[in-house]
Amino acid sequence: MSVALWVVVPYIALTVFVVGHVWRWRVDQFGWTTRTTQVLESRLLRLGSPLFHLGVLAAIGGHALGLLVPKSWTEAVGVSEHAYHLVSVTAGTVAGVMVVAGLALLLARRFTSPRVRRTTTRTDKALFAVMAVVILLGMAGTVGENLIGGGYDYRATIAVWFRGVLTLRPDPSLMTGVPLIFQLHALSAWVFLAMWPFTRLVHVWSAPVAYLWRPYVVYRRRTARPGSTR
């Protein structure tokens, strides 16, 4: 079971993530879009979208720092464990609150606005459900274990295991003693990663970089011709 959860599941998720994106690009480029609903409702979107996206970017940055940067590296530059823990918990809590608040507004918008609700597909609903689980489990781990509780040094176990997965040297024994809330957060994150290519999240890889050198589009007002009644 340990090997299945902490070796097989991650590699299945990563394989589906990569192959799924290739498949989606080859067969569904027309659907490679955010399917934006801004024109249908903008009041809640104007507040919820920045909160959610800025919070997600902060959370991704925190995860990258915590999982990819070894503990010995931060200690080598003079960052003590207490200082790292303080910054990590504070920044993680702020980012988590932003994500939760933003997601709550976006979900409220999607399910209370009839026009927006009609554009919500079954895939969207599944995505939102899994995303909510990942976020809430992450918040429970950050606040429940590391802020209110006694704290857990995930860099000695989860981070080492995660880097082992990326370097093809996974050690499932590192995850056996990890608190359940962190295990569930990790497993739900792999499910979320496997779903990614088949949802609207593919738009993340389509940043409008070409806008930097694209020529301007000039719009001219069409004036009425002489003698026209319009």
Side-chain angles (χ1 to χ4, degrees):
M1 181 60 70
S2 179
V3 173
L5 291 177
W6 310 118
V7 178
V8 177
V9 169
Y11 285 124
I12 289 178
L14 288 170
T15 301
V16 173
F17 180 80
V18 174
V19 176
H21 275 93
V22 175
W23 172 84
R24 179 78 181 271
W25 179 254
R26 291 177 63 89
V27 305
D28 188 30
Q29 290 190 33
F30 183 76
W32 192 286
T33 173
T34 61
R35 298 177 59 246
T36 180
T37 56
Q38 183 177 1
V39 297
L40 303 179
E41 196 284 333
S42 60
R43 182 175 60 87
L44 291 176
L45 182 67
R46 191 178 301 114
L47 177 60
S49 183
L51 268 177
F52 177 76
H53 287 90
L54 291 175
V56 166
L57 289 175
I60 291 175
H63 279 70
L65 178 62
L67 296 176
L68 300 180
V69 178
K71 185 177 180 179
S72 59
W73 290 17
T74 55
E75 292 177 345
V77 296
V79 179
S80 66
E81 180 61 24
H82 175 72
Y84 177 88
H85 175 77
L86 182 62
V87 173
S88 174
V89 171
T90 303
T93 301
V94 172
V97 170
M98 291 176 62
V99 173
V100 171
L103 182 62
L105 288 172
L106 294 178
L107 290 180
R109 167 184 178 270
R110 184 161 293 276
F111 293 108
T112 58
S113 171
R115 294 194 299 173
V116 178
R117 185 171 61 249
R118 283 194 291 269
T119 68
T120 304
T121 65
R122 293 180 179 178
T123 302
D124 291 333
K125 294 177 181 178
L127 172 66
F128 298 147
V130 174
M131 185 185 299
V133 170
V134 174
I135 293 170
L136 293 178
L137 287 173
M139 280 295 290
T142 299
V143 178
E145 288 286 341
N146 288 336
L147 183 61
I148 300 176
Y152 178 73
D153 186 10
Y154 60 88
R155 293 199 294 168
T157 54
I158 302 175
V160 179
W161 160 77
F162 182 75
R163 292 196 297 270
V165 170
L166 297 183
T167 57
L168 305 182
R169 294 180 297 177
D171 182 2
S173 65
L174 291 167
M175 295 295 292
T176 56
V178 171
L180 179 61
I181 194 69
F182 289 105
Q183 291 183 343
L184 294 176
H185 179 59
L187 290 174
S188 62
W190 289 122
V191 174
F192 177 73
L193 195 71
M195 292 179 61
W196 190 307
F198 313 104
T199 67
R200 63 175 66 218
L201 290 179
V202 292
H203 77 274
V204 171
W205 315 118
S206 301
V209 179
Y211 285 7
L212 297 175
W213 57 81
R214 191 181 69 174
Y216 292 110
V217 178
V218 179
Y219 291 91
R220 294 185 175 89
R221 183 184 300 276
R222 185 174 63 179
T223 56
R225 288 177 296 180
S228 174
T229 59
R230 300 179 59 184

